[in-house]
Amino acid sequence: MQTIIEPFRIKSVEPIYFNTREERITILEKAFYNPFLVHANAVLIDLLTDSGTSAMSSHQWAGIMQGDESYAGSTSYFRFEETIQRITGLPLVIPTHQGRAAEKILFSILGGKGKYFLSNTLFDTTRANIEYSGAEGVDLVCEEGKHPSIPAPFKGNMDTGALKKCIAEKGAANIPLCIITVTNNSGGGQPVSMQNIREVKAICEANNIPMFIDACRFAENAYFIKLREEGYRHTAIPDIVKELFSYADGCTMSAKKDAFANIGGFLAMHDEKLAQLCRNMLIMTEGFPTYGGLAGRDLEAIAIGLTEVMDEHYLQYRIRSIEYLTNHLIAAGVPVMQPAGGHAIYLDAKEFLSHVPVEQYPGQALVGALYIHGGIRGVEIGSLMFGKYDADQKLIPAPLELVRLAIPRRVYTQSHIDYVAEVIIEVYHQRDAIKGLTIIEEAPMLRHFTAKLKPVD
Ligand code: F0G
């Protein structure tokens, strides 16, 4: 087979700033071993997130110049609305400044004490917004999704048996919403099958529970359906996407992912009454319903990006480049989440640093080692992000200790990716020297963003 090439040429470039290992040791110490506290110009390859970090196309930049900045009734809004209606089939579209703003609005309205939100896996901001409302979030990912080293085609699926059981236990009346995250970011960027979405919808419908999709990476998920699910090989991506959304009562979306935009998001839904409540809150917290916390130019960039992302040459290159890196690491014996996900590779830090106990945050320790060794910035998705304390202040660890290296869209070339593989493999060979960490300062919620840590003696 011929090499799959990047389906773009580069018109404008940004420099990468180089630094030395010694400099990085000091930088990390000063940043309290937290990659979120490192300045971006001290990072060589920034894989902290695929969110808001995409390279926009020349079409998107042209769209930016055409942004209509009218407060009310902006032409850019109508283009944005029409695009989302066409792609998702959802009629009521509410712009927000990013995904978590959509979540904040939705869960402030639907949440509250005694309520439960069921999901395959909630992303951290989604869970935080649910919990902030007083409600509880329940993750019900399928069994395969809990074992990083066992490959399966749709490890993001929801466990439908557990879903039925949970509804029976908590009572359908206490469950305002079921949320399917596509792809399942916190569970390894793994896709959800169309069949699973259909089954979850049927269970929800039988219990009068609406189903929403957290649609951040809808196009990547659609491509996995095309590749892996019986009956979709010859279906065009926009048709797969349309079917996927046809089961949803609504969606939340961060346009910073599969819309190639640097900022933005939206809520979309069928329910007129709920949309009205959302718009009322939008006006208080985000802005008028035809801009919702965004500039007209952002709405243009999102509308164009949403269409571009469904291009099959792009999706083939995107999914293949993640798989390429994953396969390199597997061949070298590095423990990674298998198979490759859609937007990131996930190192299994529990395996990688088997000598570091979970109370010493092996994921965060590995993040530090990758930065020092190669200037690569990743993020821990483990007990620092999702750990809780019991009544005796003992850590209740997260089920998985992962390090996510998220690949920004259309930003890095194959040689950057080869370099990343080399660094990870070298760190793997020196893993015994890596020490665990302990927390010296933390916030009560979403602590991973600001926590300060130090190495264990
Ligand atoms: N849902 C999922 C599945 C996400 O991955 C994110 C963001 C959000 C919601 C919130 O969107 O950032 O626009 O407010 N994920 C980023 C990440 C931050 O790095 O995975 P947002």
Side-chain angles (χ1 to χ4, degrees), residues 49-51 98-100 103 123 125-126 181 185 214 216-217 254 256-257 404:
T49 179
D50 63 323
S51 180
Q98 61 184 85
R100 69 198 69 180
E103 294 163 1
F123 183 65
T125 59
T126 324
T181 312
N185 184 7
D214 177 340
C216 295
R217 299 176 181 87
S254 166
K256 300 172 74 173
K257 283 82 169 173
R404 186 188 74 174

mmCIF file of all heavy atoms in Angstrom, residues 49-51 98-100 103 123 125-126 181 185 214 216-217 254 256-257 404, ligand 1:
data_model
loop_
_atom_site.group_PDB
_atom_site.id
_atom_site.type_symbol
_atom_site.label_atom_id
_atom_site.label_comp_id
_atom_site.label_asym_id
_atom_site.label_seq_id
_atom_site.Cartn_x
_atom_site.Cartn_y
_atom_site.Cartn_z
ATOM 1 N N THR A 49 -3.051 18.661 24.576
ATOM 2 C CA THR A 49 -4.451 18.524 24.164
ATOM 3 C C THR A 49 -4.605 18.684 22.656
ATOM 4 O O THR A 49 -3.765 19.301 21.996
ATOM 5 C CB THR A 49 -5.331 19.573 24.880
ATOM 6 O OG1 THR A 49 -6.689 19.426 24.441
ATOM 7 C CG2 THR A 49 -4.875 20.988 24.614
ATOM 8 N N ASP A 50 -5.688 18.132 22.141
ATOM 9 C CA ASP A 50 -6.070 18.349 20.747
ATOM 10 C C ASP A 50 -7.157 19.420 20.699
ATOM 11 O O ASP A 50 -7.839 19.568 19.704
ATOM 12 C CB ASP A 50 -6.609 17.047 20.139
ATOM 13 C CG ASP A 50 -7.870 16.569 20.849
ATOM 14 O OD1 ASP A 50 -7.967 16.709 22.091
ATOM 15 O OD2 ASP A 50 -8.793 16.071 20.169
ATOM 16 N N SER A 51 -7.332 20.145 21.794
ATOM 17 C CA SER A 51 -8.452 21.070 21.923
ATOM 18 C C SER A 51 -8.029 22.509 21.671
ATOM 19 O O SER A 51 -7.209 23.052 22.420
ATOM 20 C CB SER A 51 -9.028 20.952 23.338
ATOM 21 O OG SER A 51 -10.107 21.827 23.485
ATOM 22 N N GLN A 98 -17.350 27.617 24.559
ATOM 23 C CA GLN A 98 -16.693 26.326 24.378
ATOM 24 C C GLN A 98 -17.570 25.225 24.948
ATOM 25 O O GLN A 98 -18.697 25.492 25.378
ATOM 26 C CB GLN A 98 -15.272 26.319 24.930
ATOM 27 C CG GLN A 98 -15.085 26.586 26.409
ATOM 28 C CD GLN A 98 -13.590 26.633 26.764
ATOM 29 O OE1 GLN A 98 -12.967 27.672 26.623
ATOM 30 N NE2 GLN A 98 -13.038 25.504 27.211
ATOM 31 N N GLY A 99 -17.070 23.995 24.949
ATOM 32 C CA GLY A 99 -17.910 22.862 25.338
ATOM 33 C C GLY A 99 -18.439 22.956 26.754
ATOM 34 O O GLY A 99 -19.612 22.707 27.025
ATOM 35 N N ARG A 100 -17.552 23.341 27.674
ATOM 36 C CA ARG A 100 -17.970 23.333 29.087
ATOM 37 C C ARG A 100 -19.008 24.402 29.379
ATOM 38 O O ARG A 100 -19.752 24.290 30.359
ATOM 39 C CB ARG A 100 -16.745 23.441 29.991
ATOM 40 C CG ARG A 100 -16.039 24.742 29.969
ATOM 41 C CD ARG A 100 -14.647 24.596 30.541
ATOM 42 N NE ARG A 100 -13.785 23.793 29.658
ATOM 43 C CZ ARG A 100 -12.512 23.498 29.915
ATOM 44 N NH1 ARG A 100 -11.969 23.890 31.027
ATOM 45 N NH2 ARG A 100 -11.793 22.798 29.066
ATOM 46 N N GLU A 103 -22.114 22.685 28.696
ATOM 47 C CA GLU A 103 -22.383 21.759 29.812
ATOM 48 C C GLU A 103 -22.933 22.511 31.026
ATOM 49 O O GLU A 103 -23.889 22.085 31.666
ATOM 50 C CB GLU A 103 -21.079 21.053 30.235
ATOM 51 C CG GLU A 103 -20.525 20.122 29.167
ATOM 52 C CD GLU A 103 -19.060 19.750 29.396
ATOM 53 O OE1 GLU A 103 -18.467 20.194 30.406
ATOM 54 O OE2 GLU A 103 -18.504 19.036 28.552
ATOM 55 N N PHE A 123 -16.466 13.240 30.462
ATOM 56 C CA PHE A 123 -15.190 13.962 30.471
ATOM 57 C C PHE A 123 -15.096 14.753 31.782
ATOM 58 O O PHE A 123 -16.106 14.976 32.453
ATOM 59 C CB PHE A 123 -15.108 14.886 29.251
ATOM 60 C CG PHE A 123 -13.791 15.604 29.174
ATOM 61 C CD1 PHE A 123 -12.616 14.893 28.977
ATOM 62 C CD2 PHE A 123 -13.708 16.977 29.346
ATOM 63 C CE1 PHE A 123 -11.392 15.544 28.945
ATOM 64 C CE2 PHE A 123 -12.484 17.630 29.312
ATOM 65 C CZ PHE A 123 -11.327 16.916 29.112
ATOM 66 N N THR A 125 -14.652 17.931 32.664
ATOM 67 C CA THR A 125 -15.449 19.154 32.852
ATOM 68 C C THR A 125 -16.945 18.819 32.896
ATOM 69 O O THR A 125 -17.725 19.491 33.581
ATOM 70 C CB THR A 125 -15.219 20.176 31.719
ATOM 71 O OG1 THR A 125 -15.576 19.572 30.472
ATOM 72 C CG2 THR A 125 -13.784 20.649 31.661
ATOM 73 N N THR A 126 -17.335 17.779 32.170
ATOM 74 C CA THR A 126 -18.743 17.370 32.159
ATOM 75 C C THR A 126 -19.117 16.869 33.554
ATOM 76 O O THR A 126 -20.124 17.276 34.141
ATOM 77 C CB THR A 126 -18.965 16.251 31.114
ATOM 78 O OG1 THR A 126 -18.134 16.491 29.992
ATOM 79 C CG2 THR A 126 -20.402 16.165 30.693
ATOM 80 N N THR A 181 -20.422 9.860 25.104
ATOM 81 C CA THR A 181 -19.271 10.645 24.658
ATOM 82 C C THR A 181 -18.624 9.947 23.472
ATOM 83 O O THR A 181 -18.183 8.801 23.590
ATOM 84 C CB THR A 181 -18.249 10.781 25.809
ATOM 85 O OG1 THR A 181 -18.937 11.166 26.999
ATOM 86 C CG2 THR A 181 -17.194 11.803 25.492
ATOM 87 N N ASN A 185 -13.245 10.039 25.227
ATOM 88 C CA ASN A 185 -11.958 10.684 25.508
ATOM 89 C C ASN A 185 -11.258 10.109 26.728
ATOM 90 O O ASN A 185 -10.135 9.612 26.643
ATOM 91 C CB ASN A 185 -12.187 12.197 25.670
ATOM 92 C CG ASN A 185 -10.898 12.972 25.864
ATOM 93 O OD1 ASN A 185 -9.802 12.420 25.762
ATOM 94 N ND2 ASN A 185 -11.010 14.253 26.129
ATOM 95 N N ASP A 214 -22.216 13.805 23.602
ATOM 96 C CA ASP A 214 -21.097 14.730 23.749
ATOM 97 C C ASP A 214 -20.279 14.525 22.481
ATOM 98 O O ASP A 214 -19.561 13.534 22.328
ATOM 99 C CB ASP A 214 -20.303 14.396 25.017
ATOM 100 C CG ASP A 214 -19.081 15.283 25.176
ATOM 101 O OD1 ASP A 214 -18.631 15.868 24.170
ATOM 102 O OD2 ASP A 214 -18.551 15.382 26.291
ATOM 103 N N CYS A 216 -17.856 16.080 20.713
ATOM 104 C CA CYS A 216 -16.554 16.702 20.410
ATOM 105 C C CYS A 216 -15.817 16.068 19.230
ATOM 106 O O CYS A 216 -15.249 16.756 18.412
ATOM 107 C CB CYS A 216 -15.623 16.589 21.614
ATOM 108 S SG CYS A 216 -16.173 17.497 23.021
ATOM 109 N N ARG A 217 -15.842 14.729 19.178
ATOM 110 C CA ARG A 217 -15.026 14.040 18.160
ATOM 111 C C ARG A 217 -15.918 13.144 17.296
ATOM 112 O O ARG A 217 -15.611 11.978 17.043
ATOM 113 C CB ARG A 217 -13.900 13.267 18.866
ATOM 114 C CG ARG A 217 -12.980 14.213 19.661
ATOM 115 C CD ARG A 217 -11.898 13.526 20.453
ATOM 116 N NE ARG A 217 -11.085 14.488 21.186
ATOM 117 C CZ ARG A 217 -11.363 14.972 22.412
ATOM 118 N NH1 ARG A 217 -12.459 14.575 23.048
ATOM 119 N NH2 ARG A 217 -10.571 15.851 22.986
ATOM 120 N N SER A 254 -17.840 20.720 21.787
ATOM 121 C CA SER A 254 -16.722 21.648 21.841
ATOM 122 C C SER A 254 -16.162 21.746 20.435
ATOM 123 O O SER A 254 -15.617 20.775 19.911
ATOM 124 C CB SER A 254 -15.639 21.127 22.789
ATOM 125 O OG SER A 254 -14.446 21.852 22.580
ATOM 126 N N LYS A 256 -13.660 23.091 19.545
ATOM 127 C CA LYS A 256 -12.199 23.130 19.609
ATOM 128 C C LYS A 256 -11.580 21.796 19.197
ATOM 129 O O LYS A 256 -10.376 21.673 19.140
ATOM 130 C CB LYS A 256 -11.769 23.496 21.035
ATOM 131 C CG LYS A 256 -12.311 24.856 21.470
ATOM 132 C CD LYS A 256 -12.051 25.140 22.925
ATOM 133 C CE LYS A 256 -10.594 25.475 23.152
ATOM 134 N NZ LYS A 256 -10.357 25.927 24.550
ATOM 135 N N LYS A 257 -12.435 20.791 18.963
ATOM 136 C CA LYS A 257 -11.921 19.485 18.527
ATOM 137 C C LYS A 257 -12.253 19.295 17.043
ATOM 138 O O LYS A 257 -11.594 19.842 16.189
ATOM 139 C CB LYS A 257 -12.520 18.365 19.383
ATOM 140 C CG LYS A 257 -11.896 18.239 20.765
ATOM 141 C CD LYS A 257 -12.466 19.216 21.730
ATOM 142 C CE LYS A 257 -12.069 18.968 23.149
ATOM 143 N NZ LYS A 257 -12.507 20.047 24.030
ATOM 144 N N ARG A 404 -2.048 10.660 28.438
ATOM 145 C CA ARG A 404 -2.560 10.936 27.103
ATOM 146 C C ARG A 404 -1.622 11.855 26.355
ATOM 147 O O ARG A 404 -1.213 12.901 26.875
ATOM 148 C CB ARG A 404 -3.936 11.595 27.201
ATOM 149 C CG ARG A 404 -4.584 11.770 25.837
ATOM 150 C CD ARG A 404 -5.854 12.582 25.907
ATOM 151 N NE ARG A 404 -5.579 13.985 26.102
ATOM 152 C CZ ARG A 404 -6.498 14.942 26.088
ATOM 153 N NH1 ARG A 404 -7.774 14.621 25.923
ATOM 154 N NH2 ARG A 404 -6.172 16.200 26.258
HETATM 155 N N1 F0G B 1 -16.297 16.790 26.371
HETATM 156 C C1 F0G B 1 -15.199 16.124 25.967
HETATM 157 C C2 F0G B 1 -15.313 14.694 25.560
HETATM 158 C C3 F0G B 1 -13.970 16.794 25.913
HETATM 159 O O1 F0G B 1 -12.904 16.128 25.491
HETATM 160 C C4 F0G B 1 -13.904 18.156 26.290
HETATM 161 C C5 F0G B 1 -12.635 18.871 26.300
HETATM 162 C C6 F0G B 1 -15.071 18.802 26.692
HETATM 163 C C7 F0G B 1 -16.253 18.082 26.724
HETATM 164 C C8 F0G B 1 -15.085 20.254 27.112
HETATM 165 O O2 F0G B 1 -14.891 21.087 26.025
HETATM 166 O O3 F0G B 1 -12.705 22.241 26.456
HETATM 167 O O4 F0G B 1 -14.366 23.177 24.863
HETATM 168 O O5 F0G B 1 -14.799 23.247 27.281
HETATM 169 N N2 F0G B 1 -11.541 18.290 26.219
HETATM 170 C C9 F0G B 1 -10.228 18.908 26.157
HETATM 171 C C10 F0G B 1 -9.198 17.822 26.220
HETATM 172 C C11 F0G B 1 -9.997 20.010 27.114
HETATM 173 O O6 F0G B 1 -8.005 18.147 26.370
HETATM 174 O O7 F0G B 1 -9.545 16.652 26.081
HETATM 175 P P1 F0G B 1 -14.154 22.518 26.178
#
